[in-house]
Structures are given as structure tokens and as C-alpha cells.
Amino acid sequence: MNALPITGELFATNQVSPDTERCYRYQLRSFSRWMETERDVTDLDSVTTVDLLAYKQSLAHLSPTTQKRYMATIRSFFKWARESGL
């Protein structure tokens, strides 16, 4: 059982620029808050494909490019978490 990322500290690394790290942190915090408030999910293991699709839909007010960036960050985070054994 692992909590959803709040600060993105686990995912953000020294391998990216400070601006990119700041964006990762912001996007992961936004996702985590949305999951908690809208889906009552606070655990990585509880996130479903349906949750991710609903989150993507919640980004509809943003530009398509921004939506893609958010979803790429989330996808990368979950890939990293899986590879890290989280």
C-alpha cells in the first residue's frame, strides 16, 4: 500500500532541469489532490484505468498540449513506480 504522490519528490530527479522538476511536482500534486477529492482514492494500488480516464476528462478545460503533458507525467510516474516496486 503506497500513498499517492503529494510532492512528487520520489519521481522528480536530478536528471531533469529545475523547471521540469517543478512542473512534475505541480502536476503530480494536482493529480493526487484530484484523486483524493473527486475519487476518494489516496493509495497507488487503488488507482484504476477508469480513474485515469476521468482525470483526463477533468483536464478538458486545458489546451490539448497541456493535457498531454499532464498525462505524460502521470504515465511516467506510474511506470517509474512500477519499476521501483511501488
Side-chain angles (χ1 to χ4, degrees):
M1 184 182 300
N2 295 295
L4 283 168
I6 295 173
T7 64
E9 289 179 27
L10 293 174
F11 180 55
T13 67
N14 293 332
Q15 298 172 359
V16 297
S17 74
D19 286 339
T20 300
E21 184 175 339
R22 182 179 46 78
C23 288
Y24 285 168
R25 289 174 190 267
Y26 177 81
Q27 292 164 356
L28 289 172
R29 272 194 310 269
S30 294
F31 173 69
S32 182
R33 286 185 194 130
W34 186 88
M35 287 298 295
E36 186 172 357
T37 60
E38 299 298 321
R39 307 299 274 196
D40 196 29
V41 172
T42 58
D43 186 75
L44 281 174
D45 296 333
S46 299
V47 177
T48 67
T49 301
V50 173
D51 294 326
L52 294 171
L53 291 171
Y55 180 67
K56 183 178 180 181
Q57 182 62 34
S58 79
L59 301 175
H61 67 283
L62 301 172
S63 75
T65 302
T66 301
Q67 291 175 41
K68 287 178 185 176
R69 253 187 276 133
Y70 270 73
M71 295 309 295
T73 297
I74 301 305
R75 184 173 42 255
S76 294
F77 171 76
F78 277 98
K79 180 180 177 190
W80 172 85
R82 184 180 63 243
E83 290 172 354
S84 298
L86 297 178

